[in-house]
Structures are given as C-alpha cells and as structure tokens.
RNA sequence: GGGCCUGUAGCUCAGAUGGUUAGAGCGCGACACUGAUAAUGUCGAGGUCCGUGGUUCGAUUCCACGCAGGCCCA
C-alpha cells in the first residue's frame, strides 16, 4: 500500500497499464458494463490506412476518445467501432506509381482484376501502424471487428442506398464538364492537371465578336473569347447584373458600316481610344490597322436590364432544344478582361454549363451515327459533320499534322467576312495540357451520375439547424452557407477501385435498371441467363466480389430482350464513408434493431476539412433517405501546425512522429497538451518544448502530491477510511473539499459543453494552485507531526479524497495516469469503469472559498512586504495590520495566515484610525448609464473629498451630490494606504507589516535559524525523516543562553532526544555561519533505540 | 474572387454583458525557502490588446472598412 513510484516515468508506466488493460479487456468491460443503459451513439470517421498516421490524428482521436470515455463514466452505453476507408484516388495513384503504369494502361498492360487486387493490398498497408497508434495513445475503439468499405456486405448496403436515391428520382444521369484529352482519349482528373508542367503558356487567337440584337437593328452585343472553336456551340451570353454597360455608336472596323455595340463601361478603353470620342462620327476616320474608331456613348445600361434580351446566333448548324440565345446573369463575369459580356458554350465550360442550367438553357447538341446526343466536337477533337463549314477539322492540332491549319483562324475569317468580327488579337495565357501527350486539354462533356442534392436544399438547411455544432459558427457559416448554395453531387468517377455504380443500361438508353441488393442482382442475372446473355451467374458464388471487373462482365436483360450493360463508373468515395451509419451494420439486410438504437449518432468529431467531406455526405444521405440528421452533435477540430504556424508536411520536414513523442513523454502528456493548449477548433501550434513543460508542471506536480501523500501514509500506516462529517473537519479541509466540489461542477459542465480544453485548464489550476501550492504546502506539518490523532487521519483522508477526485475528473483526457493514481490510492478495478462523480452542493462553502482566495492574495502581499523589509522568513514578526472591514472573512483564517507568513498576530485597524486612508470613486458600471458625461465631475468631486467626509459617508451609507443621492453600491471604496507602515495594496486589499522586533521575537528567530541549520545537517547526514538524534551545540554564551529557553521547541522540531550545550568550539567540526556573523558548531548523531 | 476562423507580453494562451491598474504559464533577470527538494515561493523587466474610422461619458471589447495568417471552395 502507498507504494512510491519514484520520479515521473510516464512512458514506462503507460506500457504496464496498457498490458493490464489488454489482459483484463478493460475497454470491452467498460463498454459492456453500461449495456442496458441509455445508448450514446458515436460514429468513427474511417481513416485510410494508405499512409502513416501523424500527430493531427492523435489530436482528433483524443477528442473522440475523451468524450466517449466521459459519457461511459456518466453511465451511457457507448459502443465504438473502428472503420477503414479503403477506396479512392490516393490508393489508385500510389499503386500506379508502384507498378509504374498510368491510368491508360489499366485494362491493357495490367488487368483491372490485378490492378484492383493491388489496390486492395496497398490500402491496408499501414493498418498495423494505425492499430499500434490507436492502442498506444489509449484510443479506446473496437479494433477487432472494424467495418471496411470494400467488404461485399458494406457495398451491398451502399447499393441499397443508391437504389433508394434512384427510386426517389434523386439519382440521375447527365453530363459534366471534365478536363479531357482528345489525344489520349481519356478524361483527366483535377490531380492530373495539378501535375508539374501541366500548365503551359500558349498563344491563342482571341476574338471579340458581335452578336446581333434580335429586335433592334444594327445593335450588337460584344463578347470576347479565347476559344473561337466553341462559338458554334454558343447558347447564351452572360453579363454581371450589377455592372454598368454602355451602348456605343461607332463603325464596324472591317466594313466601316455604322453600327451600335454594347459592352461594359470599364471595357470601353480597351476598345476605344480617347481620341475616338473627339473624332467626327464618319467612316473615313476609321483606322483598321491601329484599331482607331470614332465613337459616341449613346446611353448607360444596368446589366440587370440586359438580362432576357435576345440575339441572333453567329452559327446555326443546330437548332437549340429550348430557349437559347439570350442574355443571362453570370457571377463569374469579370471586368478585368474582355467586354464584360461572356460567351457561353455549355458543352465546353464548367461555368458555362452551370450558368446555362441555372437559366434552363439547353446545351447545343446534335446526334451521332447511333442517334445519341453529341456535342459539336467529337471525342477525337474534330467538328462533327453537322458543322458543315468546318466538318472533320481538329479544333487543335491533336495529330501533329504538319499542314495543320488552325480552325480558330478560319472561324475568325468566316466571322470577319460576315461583318461580325470586331477585333482579333493574340492572347497569351496559361492553359492546362495533358501530361502524357503534351496536347492542350479540352473541357468536354462527360456522362456522369448525380445526386439531386439541389432538390434537397431546404431540407438540408432545416435539418442542419437542429445539429449542435462545436463551435456553432462552423455550422451556421461554413457548413450552412455551403448547404444554402449546394449543387448536385457528381457521384461518378471514371476509375477502377471503388464501389461500382449498380446501374445497367441499354446502348440506346431506352432501358435502365438500378440494382439494390445481391439477391436482386442474382435474379436479374438468372433472367439474363435464360435469354442466353450470360453463361454463368457470378453472384451465385459465395465469395462474390461486387468490384470491377466482375460486375462489368454482368449483362442484364430488358423485358424485350435488349441487353443492358453496366454504367462503367465507380462512385465517389465520399459516398462510401457517408453510408457508414448503415453499411457498417449491413443495414437493412441485418441488424435492424442495433441500427435503430445507434442512428442517428449523438456525437461525431473530425477536422474542419471534413465540412465538405464526411460531415456533408453523412448529412445528405440521412436527410434524403431518412428525413433526419445523421449526427446530433459535431465537434470540429482545427489543424496541428508546427510551432511557427506552418502546416506540417513531408516537404518541409516538420512532421512530428506521434510514436516518438509518446515514447519520449508519454501518451497522457501528449493528449493533455493537445487538449489544454487551445480550443479544439483552433489550429494548434505544436511545440515539443511546451509538451515537455506540461509533463513537468502538471503531471510532475500531481505526481509529487501523490508521492507526498504516499510517503507519510506509508510511514504512519494510514488505513483507508471514510471522510469524517464535514462539520468536524478543520477549516482548511473544508475549504479543499469545497474546492473539489466546485472543480467537479465546473469540469462536468465543461465536458457537457464539449469544451474539454476548459476542463483540462480547470484541473491544472486546481492541482497546481490549490491542491499542491496551497493545501499541501500549508498542511505539511499535519502529515509529519508526531501524534497519530484524528487531525492527522483527517488530513490523509481529505488529501486522498481530493487526489481520487482529480483522477476521475482527468480520466477522460489522461486515462493512463488517472488509472495509475486510482490503483495506487487503493481503489479496485479500473477508473474507467467508475461512475463520473457528481458534485455535492452540500459541501460547498462559497464564502469560505472567497475568503481563502482573499487570504491567498493577502499572503502574497505579505511575502512581498517581507521581501522589501529584508527580514528573513524564519524571523517571526509581531503583526500584520489590516482594515477592520476584513475581520469577518479573515478571522477564521487567522491561524493559517500567521503560520504561512510567520506572524504573531493580525491586528485590525479601526476605521477611524489615522492609519487607514480611504478613497471613493464612482462605480462606473452602475452610475455610468444614468449620469452620462457628468460622471467625470462626480469622480473629481469624490477625489477632493476630505477623509472625514469619506468616513462619514461610509458610516451613513449615503452621499448627496448635486441633487443626486448615492448609496454604497454606487461607490467604490478603496483602503488606499497605511502611512508610516510598510504597506501594499492590490485589487482592493490593503495590508501593512509591523517589522519592529522585540527581544523575545528576536530570540525565537534565532531558534528557528538554529532549527534550520540542524535540518540541513540531518539531510546532509542522510538521516531518514523519522530518525531521532542527539545534539551537541556550541554558540557564544549570549546566544546560548537565549536559545536555551527554546530547547524544547528545537528538540521537537528536529526529533532530538537530547541537546547538550557545549562551552567550547567542538573539535574536528568546521563552524557554520550563523546569522551572518556568528560561528555555530553542531554535532549530530543518530539515537539508537535500546530495547 | 466567395465563405468561415484567428490576430492580446519574446513564446503559448486566458479575459472583459463596454467601466478607469488587461492577466496566467513558459522564457529572461534577481532573491528566498529547504521534513514534497530533480520540488516550491517572492520580486522585477516586458503590452499602441493588428490598423483606421464610427457609436459612447468611456472602446482592447460593439459596428464598418482595411491589413496579416489559416482552412475550405471557386
């Protein structure tokens, strides 16, 4: 019992606690113990084990862990299941790098089956490292049966969800504009565009062209484009609704015919020189070479007013499907370049498509040989036959043809001949190129499947308002704004390693089927077998793998016998993780009851970067299909930056390895540091020096306190006993218990508010300031004094109680050391199976808390005064003087204060004593609103008030001033000074110190000085604190005589059985300097006990 | 370009429903204590509370506009 653990060695202790937890299955037991209680549902966002975990993972996981541990201690059943996110681009890219292949090689050089096999292996590469981190940091989550997104069962649940979207009409096929390489014949990912060297500076012709107003003769809209080949696909023109436009009277530069054009006011100088405004409006002043045009501004127009006006198309190869060729609003329209009017080709630009959709304008499409809709440029990058003037011509030189003639030039020529070209320039800009063929990419329409999230917008927003966000601003701002502007979710990825879209379609698009379960697929394959389209049924196989290529080989059949082929895409991995509440339980195929208990989650926690990620996908799926939220509370954490505030990255070499950290300092300090340093949602600047400091200041102090307790408890054979009734305890114990209750209440509140930073800081402050630096420091004597009486046992009991309570309060954040304390303080079982303490108001004594706080401040003032006086602390001083108004709260603490500062008395000064000066100031807070500017006059009036008037005011409790009557709460009273004494004031407290020594006090000071020297010798001699001694002492006779009257005090303090005063310096001993001037000889010898 | 967050001592962070002396810890300097001692206490130096305007008797706090850093999205 009360074993000493020696100096702090957290990493080592943590290892043995880990071993114990594992052997006793403490985590599982702590969860199981609460089964039957209310469920607190927690979802673990699945990490990808494709890379090594970093310190930021420790941060996020500490937050998750501590909330779950806290709720478990509160009595909730908190099942926690680990999961793995396994699909997606990062895995694919790493595999491609390893195999030395590119995407185009998949299916040719490497089979899809082999490729996916490699992905499946690569994605779990660091699973062991992740599991090791989870365990080492004390993150309690069930690792033995994790959910894995590539599991067939997981995928089946995802299919079921997709089919529900499909049935609700929320899953639809459309196209999206993607970077596309005609030369390579493939779409490129955003990632491929970001490869170094992808962006090249190129020179393209840029045209400013005239779109003829439909009803007003000779009025044109001027639009600017750097991709002339998209002009045949023009469907609309976009303006900025808030911009100002001008109508200008001028001449067509090439035909010199009078004309009127509209463009943005800011663009005028780009097209018209100032000189032009002065020139007569006559065609002979047109200079085609320099571009000089005479012009007049006719009128100003608001962009808003242009919207809806119609124009004649430049080309009319295809009749548009619907209401094209009009002016629309575009938020992307800029005044930096061009005319402030933007040509919109929805088939070849992402902004264009978005704007067109918003305005219900159909893209310009025609039909290919099979009758399927196609844009005016085919996948090889050639104009389709319907574009008669340019049919078959490549829009860029994709084939390296030596005689390639840029089609852009011919389009310019064509327009010029028709008087529709206003200007042609060469434009130099950065443009992305295909990294393999080095050819410019095309933004091209690619078929894709979408979730119609835009139709859910209101529901998403409304449900979000019921989610508790920590901090709230992210829910309202970042997430809320995103939802309000949400657009349809493009689910398609033309990749290989992912959950395949369970949709089969006929070539002509007349038939389509979405599959929602393996059972359904199996039956569908059976039908298709009957029709002879399939030879065997792969879904019959017990290990059916729903990945590519297996599903690609399945051909289904339409009622009329038409074969149906799978849509080739896989889905966005974010859908995988958003499906986790259902798919982790293989819902609805299994576990319906468990699902209903654990959905929605009470709590999730991830980084801010998940706003558009997991937070979003969870929300969309739950809102769309279940009409509810997926999580009720979400705690958002910021990033972990290095100590300079830079993001940690391999490139900068500032990545901190969590394992090294935990081996060096321990998991608890790492967790504690991350939690206590700053609120979770702010970025944490990680500084190892501070972590080391945390070990020393908090864990070191707490551990010292335990060691102190254990040392004396061991010596005295303290036996655990219940707390005595509070009213029988000494004041200081009652104070500590009150503080413990206060701490409990405040820490509980912090946890309840998902603000663990506050909890950690409160605990730190309690341990360092109250428990260690005040309670233990003041009570040391009670622990080592001789008698084993009630008072001593009470001290042990109260201190042990406070330590245990501290352990429980800190257990969620620092589970290891809390466990250690629990065990060593003699409690059974694991602290994590204990019930979180609730605070007892009964033990609170608010006035005692406040008085003690003041007394602590007073002590600090007195220490500072002693320091100024130059009198050693060992020298007792006669008295401290304080104003009489302190009497009520200070009286009970007098003894403590006297002992702490080594005083003989505390004297209260009468209010009328000349020694106290009072000062009155207005209470700005209460008087400010009513007095307004006159408060300054009152302040100066109070300042000039004589002392007698102040005292009179204090006595009457009232003050009259210029017709106003003030009571005491309206005035701030300060005891300002005690002239003639050594005094100090701080925060309304004033104290003076009497440093006049009487001979008697001086002698006592000598005695204490002597005791001090003896203690040093005891220590140097290596004596145990309980060893008894014999003393022989020599001092000059005058001192010797004075000290003899303190012999019993000296003997008691130093555990001396005998003191012999010797007349002469003791031979063989060197003198000790006593009181800076006197030679002292002490001979110390251990007293052996005789039987 | 848009949304959100942050800006207080050399560093990491508190704080103030707007109130006249803005705090802590670390670091730095000085001293003390010595029955927790690889612990502890006291004192000191150190601040334009990012800037500018506004509201107010009073702004570091509220409002507006900026600046800087971060995250997400274009």
């Amino acid at each position: 019992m009360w074993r000493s653990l020696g100096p702090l060695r957290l990493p080592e202790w943590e290892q043995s606690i880990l071993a114990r937890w594992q052997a006793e299955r403490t985590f599982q037991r702590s969860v199981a113990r609460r089964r039957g209680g209310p469920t607190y549902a927690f979802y673990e966002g699945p990490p990808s084990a494709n890379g090594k975990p970093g310190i930021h993972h420790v941060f996020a996981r500490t937050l998750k862990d501590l909330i779950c541990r806290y709720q478990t201690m509160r009595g909730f059943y908190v099942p926690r299941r680990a999961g793995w996110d396994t699909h997606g681009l990062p895995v694919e890219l790493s595999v491609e790098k390893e195999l030395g292949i590119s995407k185009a090689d998949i299916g040719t050089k490497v089979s899809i089956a082999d490729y996916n096999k490699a992905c499946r292996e690569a994605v779990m590469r660091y699973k062991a490292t992740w599991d090791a981190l989870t365990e080492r940091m004390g993150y309690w989550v069930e690792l033995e049966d994790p959910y894995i997104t590539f599991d067939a069962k997981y995928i089946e649940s995802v299919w079921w969800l997709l089919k529900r979207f499909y049935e609700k009409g929320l899953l639809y096929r459309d196209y999206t504009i993607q970077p596309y390489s005609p030369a390579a014949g493939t779409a490129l990912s955003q990632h491929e565009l970001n490869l170094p060297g992808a962006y090249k500076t190129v020179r393209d012709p840029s045209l400013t062209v005239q779109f003829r107003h439909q009803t007003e003769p000779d009025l044109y809209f001027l639009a600017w484009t750097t991709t002339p080949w998209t002009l045949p696909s023009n469907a609309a023109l976009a303006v900025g609704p808030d911009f100002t436009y001008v109508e200008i009277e001028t001449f067509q530069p090439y035909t010199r015919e009078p004309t009127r054009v509209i463009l943005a006011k800011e663009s005028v100088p780009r097209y018209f020189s100032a000189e032009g405004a002065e020139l007569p409006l006559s065609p002979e002043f047109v200079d085609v070479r320099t571009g000089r045009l005479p012009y007049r501004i006719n009128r100003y127009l608001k962009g808003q007013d242009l919207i809806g006006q119609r124009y004649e198309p430049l080309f009319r190869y295809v009749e548009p499907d619907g209401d094209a060729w009009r002016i629309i609003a575009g938020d992307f329209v800029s005044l930096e370049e061009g005319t402030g009017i933007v040509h919109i080709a929805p088939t070849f630009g992402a902004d264009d498509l978005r704007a067109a959709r918003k305005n219900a304008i159909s893209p310009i499409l025609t039909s290919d040989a099979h009758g399927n809709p196609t844009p005016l440029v085919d996948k090889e990058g050639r104009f389709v036959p319907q574009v008669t003037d340019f049919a078959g011509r490549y829009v860029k030189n994709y084939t390296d043809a030596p005689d390639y003639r840029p089609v852009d030039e011919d389009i310019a020529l064509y327009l010029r001949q028709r008087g529709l070209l206003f200007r042609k320039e060469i434009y130099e800009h950065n443009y992305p190129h295909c990294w393999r063929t080095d050819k410019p990419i095309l933004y091209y329409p690619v078929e894709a499947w979408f979730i119609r999230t835009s139709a859910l917008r209101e529901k998403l927003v409304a449900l979000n308002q019921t989610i508790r966000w920590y901090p709230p601003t992210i829910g309202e701002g970042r997430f809320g704004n995103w939802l309000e502007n949400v657009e349809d979710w493009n689910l398609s990825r033309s990749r290989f390693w992912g959950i395949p879209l369970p949709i089969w379609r006929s070539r002509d698009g007349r038939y389509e089927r979405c599959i929602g379960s393996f059972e359904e697929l199996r039956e569908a394959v059976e039908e298709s077998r009957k029709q002879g389209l399939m030879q065997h049924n792969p879904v019959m196989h017990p290990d059916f793998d729903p990945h590519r290529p297996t599903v690609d080989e399945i051909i289904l059949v339409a009622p009329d016998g038409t074969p149906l082929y799978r849509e080739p895409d896989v889905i966005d991995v974010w859908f995988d993780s958003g499906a986790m509440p259902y798919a982790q339980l293989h819902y609805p195929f299994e576990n319906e009851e468990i699902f209903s208990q654990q959905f929605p989650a009470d709590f999730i926690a991830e980084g801010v970067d998940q706003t558009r990620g997991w937070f979003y996908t969870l929300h969309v799926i739950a809102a769309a299909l279940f009409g509810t939220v997926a999580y009720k509370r979400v705690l958002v954490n910021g990033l972990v930056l290095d100590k300079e505030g830079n993001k940690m990255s391999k490139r900068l070499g500032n990545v901190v390895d969590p394992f090294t950290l935990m081996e060096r300092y321990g998991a608890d300090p790492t967790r504690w540091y991350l939690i206590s340093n700053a609120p979770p949602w702010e970025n944490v600047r990680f500084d190892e020096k501070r972590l080391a400091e945390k070990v020393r200041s908090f864990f070191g102090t707490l551990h010292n306190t335990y060691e102190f307790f254990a040392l004396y408890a061991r010596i005295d054979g303290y036996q655990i006993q219940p707390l005595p009734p509070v009213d029988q305890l000494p004041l200081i114990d009652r104070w500590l218990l009150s503080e413990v209750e206060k701490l409990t209440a405040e820490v509980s509140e912090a946890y309840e508010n998902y603000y663990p930073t506050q909890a950690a800081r409160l605990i730190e402050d309690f341990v360092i300031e109250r428990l260690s630096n005040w309670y233990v420091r003041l009570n040391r004597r009670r622990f080592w004094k001789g008698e084993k009486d009630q008072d001593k046992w009470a001290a042990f009991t109260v201190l042990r109680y406070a330590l245990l309570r501290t352990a429980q309060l800190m257990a969620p954040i620092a589970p290891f050391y809390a466990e250690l304390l629990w065990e060593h303080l003699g409690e059974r079982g694991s602290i994590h199976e204990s019930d979180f303490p609730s605070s007892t108001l009964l033990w609170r004594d608010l006035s005692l808390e406040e008085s003690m706080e003041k007394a602590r401040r007073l002590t600090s003032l007195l220490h500072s005064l002693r320091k100024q006086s130059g009198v050693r602390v060992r020298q007792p001083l006669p008295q401290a003087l304080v104003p009489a108004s302190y009497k009520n709260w200070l009286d009970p603490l007098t003894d403590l204060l006297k002992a702490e500062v080594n005083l003989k008395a505390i004297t209260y000064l009468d209010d009328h004593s000349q020694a106290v000066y009072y000062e009155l100031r207005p209470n700005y807070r209460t008087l400010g609103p009513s007095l307004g500017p006159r408060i300054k006059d009152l302040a100066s009036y109070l300042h000039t008030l004589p002392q007698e008037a102040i005292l009179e005011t204090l006595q009457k409790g009232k003050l009259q001033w210029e017709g106003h009557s003030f009571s005491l709460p309206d005035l701030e009273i300060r005891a300002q000074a005690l002239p003639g004494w050594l005094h100090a004031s701080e925060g309304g407290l004033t104290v003076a110190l009497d440093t006049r020594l009487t001979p008697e006090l001086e002698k006592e000071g000598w005695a204490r000085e002597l005791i001090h020297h003896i203690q040093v010798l005891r220590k140097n001699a290596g004596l145990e604190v309980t060893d008894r001694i014999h003393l022989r002492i020599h001092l000059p006779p005058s001192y010797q005589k004075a000290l003899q009257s303190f012999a019993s005090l000296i003997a008691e303090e130093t555990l001396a059985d005998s003191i012999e005063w010797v007349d002469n310096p003791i031979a063989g001993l060197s003198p000790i300097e006593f009181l800076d001037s006197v030679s002292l000889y002490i001979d110390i010898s251990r007293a052996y006990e005789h039987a």
Side-chain angles (χ1 to χ4, degrees), chain A residues 384-615:
Chain A
V384 298
Q386 285 89 337
V387 185
T388 46
D389 298 291
F390 309 102
R393 298 200 33 197
Y394 285 96
V395 300
K396 297 282 162 184
N397 188 8
Y398 291 118
T399 55
D400 282 329
D403 56 346
Y404 177 77
R405 182 177 158 73
V407 81
D408 286 339
E409 299 290 346
D410 288 345
I411 288 172
L413 191 62
Y414 176 98
L415 292 172
R416 182 176 155 179
Q417 283 162 357
R418 281 158 185 74
L420 297 173
L421 181 65
F422 195 76
R423 183 181 289 181
K424 178 181 164 234
E425 290 160 305
I426 296 299
Y427 179 68
E428 198 167 272
H429 61 148
N430 271 326
Y431 195 83
H433 286 64
C434 171
W435 59 279
R436 287 192 304 123
T437 62
D438 250 3
K439 291 282 180 289
I441 61 114
L442 223 62
Y443 287 95
Y444 198 83
V446 174
E447 262 122 35
W449 286 84
F450 291 85
I451 287 183
R452 205 181 299 279
T453 29
S454 57
L456 302 167
R457 196 172 289 148
E458 281 176 30
K459 191 189 267 183
L460 293 173
V461 169
L463 283 171
N464 178 44
Q465 277 156 5
T466 70
I467 297 173
R468 298 288 297 268
W469 285 81
Y470 302 92
T473 45
I474 296 202
E476 291 157 18
R478 190 187 273 231
F479 196 63
N481 293 341
W482 163 255
L483 292 181
E484 276 163 27
N485 299 303
V486 75
E487 286 173 20
D488 287 356
W489 175 9
N490 180 3
L491 265 193
S492 288
R493 296 293 180 272
S494 47
R495 299 294 318 189
F496 303 91
W497 177 237
I499 297 183
L501 265 173
I503 296 170
W504 276 259
R505 216 165 177 267
S506 64
R507 291 269 189 250
D508 60 8
R510 282 191 307 136
Y511 294 101
E512 197 172 271
R513 179 153 186 198
C514 182
I515 297 291
S517 72
F518 294 168
E519 175 71 28
E520 186 185 349
L521 182 60
R522 188 163 65 236
E523 281 166 15
V525 173
E526 284 306 294
E527 283 167 42
S528 151
R529 248 157 56 98
K530 281 184 207 136
Q531 302 284 328
L533 288 171
M534 291 285 288
Q535 301 306 308
H536 67 288
N537 188 341
V539 194
M540 292 291 200
H541 196 280
D543 290 330
F544 167 63
D545 176 14
H547 281 97
R548 300 183 70 181
T550 315
V551 282
D552 299 336
E553 289 153 10
I554 293 175
I555 299 166
L556 301 184
V557 64
D560 70 350
T562 311
L564 305 178
Y565 302 94
R566 198 186 72 79
E567 287 287 280
D569 290 338
V570 298
I571 63 165
D572 181 4
V573 276
W574 285 111
F575 195 97
D576 295 18
S577 51
M580 160 273 160
Y582 329 93
Q584 69 164 340
L585 294 166
H586 195 211
Y587 178 85
F589 306 101
E590 289 178 69
N591 298 319
E592 202 142 344
E593 198 185 330
I594 300 178
F595 173 73
S596 68
Q597 286 160 2
Q598 297 183 14
F599 180 83
D602 289 288
F603 169 69
I604 61 170
E606 304 289 333
V608 265
D609 49 337
Q610 294 298 323
T611 316
R612 265 83 151 172
W614 198 50
F615 296 154

Side-chain angles (χ1 to χ4, degrees), chain A residues 260-322:
Chain A
R260 288 179 298 149
V261 296
I262 292 176
L263 73 166
K265 192 181 98 200
E266 277 80 356
S267 304
V268 171
R270 274 196 279 277
Y271 291 91
F272 301 95
S273 59
E275 185 196 358
E278 313 291 330
L279 291 169
L281 268 186
S282 170
E284 61 262 32
F285 295 102
V286 173
D287 184 340
V288 181
R289 231 166 31 79
T290 63
R292 187 188 69 186
L293 291 168
Y295 77 100
R296 297 289 183 273
I297 291 178
N298 272 355
R299 57 182 174 141
Y300 291 87
L301 300 145
K302 209 77 190 131
Q304 188 63 50
D305 301 330
L306 295 173
I307 290 167
Q309 300 194 19
R310 299 181 168 280
Y311 61 87
E312 300 291 337
L314 303 173
F315 300 93
R316 211 157 184 153
Y317 299 116
V318 171
E319 284 309 304
D321 184 13

Side-chain angles (χ1 to χ4, degrees), chain A residues 965-1076:
Chain A
S965 174
F966 305 117
S967 55
L968 281 188
D970 292 329
L971 303 169
E972 210 178 295
I973 306 132
R974 290 197 183 185
Q976 191 56 19
L978 300 139
W981 302 91
L982 197 54
H983 69 269
S985 297
E986 185 217 298
L989 285 175
T990 299
V991 62
L993 193 61
D994 184 355
T995 55
R996 295 169 303 184
L997 293 179
T998 60
E1000 199 50 29
L1001 282 173
E1002 203 166 4
K1003 283 183 204 165
E1004 190 180 337
W1006 297 346
R1008 299 216 172 264
E1009 186 73 13
L1010 180 60
I1011 291 166
H1012 156 62
H1013 287 294
I1014 298 168
Q1015 300 290 28
V1016 173
L1017 285 175
R1018 279 188 63 115
K1019 188 167 174 67
N1020 291 346
L1023 294 175
E1024 293 294 319
V1025 294
T1026 48
D1027 285 339
R1028 302 202 66 84
I1029 53 171
H1030 294 299
L1031 286 169
R1032 290 170 69 233
I1033 301 170
H1034 166 77
L1035 271 169
S1038 56
Y1039 287 97
Q1040 206 146 305
K1041 198 166 159 235
L1043 281 168
Q1044 270 161 10
S1045 56
F1046 290 97
S1048 62
L1049 174 72
I1050 296 166
E1052 192 189 329
E1053 292 293 312
T1054 61
L1055 300 188
D1057 284 351
S1058 70
I1059 302 176
E1060 188 188 338
W1061 302 96
V1062 232
D1063 293 336
N1064 296 307
I1066 300 167
L1069 287 180
S1070 42
I1072 300 165
E1073 195 174 273
F1074 184 67
L1075 297 172
D1076 300 330

Side-chain angles (χ1 to χ4, degrees), chain A residues 953-966:
Chain A
T953 303
L954 290 180
Q955 213 157 34
K956 289 201 303 195
K958 252 190 186 168
L959 178 78
Q960 302 288 333
W961 176 72
E962 298 195 1
H964 297 272
S965 174
F966 305 117

Side-chain angles (χ1 to χ4, degrees), chain A residues 71-247:
Chain A
Q71 296 296 351
T72 301
M73 288 176 84
R74 285 286 318 283
F76 288 94
Y77 172 55
V78 192
R80 288 157 258 177
R81 193 174 177 203
W84 298 105
D85 193 23
T86 55
H87 291 130
L89 196 63
V91 194
E92 295 202 25
L93 292 176
S94 71
V95 165
E96 280 163 34
K97 202 171 164 190
E98 271 164 46
L99 299 179
I101 60 167
S102 70
K103 189 188 171 191
D105 299 326
I106 304 163
T108 54
K109 279 193 205 163
V110 178
S111 74
I112 296 178
D114 288 344
Y115 177 78
N116 272 356
K117 187 160 169 278
C119 288
R120 184 187 290 258
E121 283 158 12
V123 74
M124 287 306 211
R125 180 161 304 152
Y126 293 104
K127 178 174 180 294
T129 314
W130 276 84
D131 284 349
L133 180 85
T134 303
E135 198 197 316
R136 181 63 188 86
M137 67 170 284
Y139 178 33
W140 273 2
V141 61
E142 189 52 76
L143 290 174
E144 286 166 29
D145 178 29
Y147 68 89
I148 300 173
T149 59
F150 67 51
D151 270 354
K153 283 181 175 179
Y154 195 97
I155 293 175
E156 188 178 23
S157 289
V158 171
W159 280 7
W160 178 81
L161 293 168
L162 287 170
K163 181 160 187 185
R164 299 227 17 214
F165 274 105
Y166 187 82
E167 286 168 347
K168 284 173 171 265
L170 293 172
L171 182 60
Y172 68 95
R173 187 176 191 266
D174 204 331
Y175 64 85
T176 168
I177 306 299
Q178 297 286 330
Y180 182 85
S181 170
T186 176
L188 300 175
S189 64
Q190 197 57 47
H191 154 263
E192 286 169 297
L193 254 47
N194 288 337
L195 289 171
Y199 276 83
K200 293 180 197 299
T201 305
V202 291
R203 291 158 62 83
D204 280 324
S206 79
L207 308 186
T208 302
V209 294
Q210 294 172 253
F211 288 83
R212 187 198 305 268
H213 196 285
Q214 198 181 48
T215 50
E216 290 209 42
D218 294 328
L219 180 62
Y220 295 86
F221 297 102
L222 282 190
W224 178 75
T225 180
T226 55
T227 52
W229 59 269
T230 62
L231 287 171
S233 301
N234 172 274
L237 294 176
V239 297
D242 300 327
F243 299 163
T244 303
Y245 291 83
V246 290
E247 182 193 299

Side-chain angles (χ1 to χ4, degrees), chain A residues 311-385:
Chain A
Y311 61 87
E312 300 291 337
L314 303 173
F315 300 93
R316 211 157 184 153
Y317 299 116
V318 171
E319 284 309 304
D321 184 13
D323 191 19
W325 299 331
R326 59 190 160 97
I327 311 288
I328 60 173
D331 51 14
F332 48 84
V333 178
S334 131
L335 297 172
E336 306 293 315
E337 299 175 306
T339 61
I341 301 179
V342 174
H343 146 64
I344 299 291
T347 42
F348 302 112
D351 274 343
D352 306 46
L353 178 61
R354 195 160 48 82
R357 280 199 175 131
K358 202 179 267 177
N359 290 281
I361 290 174
S362 298
I364 304 296
L365 295 170
T366 181
S367 300
D368 66 9
H370 306 286
N372 287 320
T374 173
L376 301 189
V377 174
D378 67 17
K379 288 196 166 183
E380 280 76 48
R382 288 174 305 197
F383 276 115
V384 298

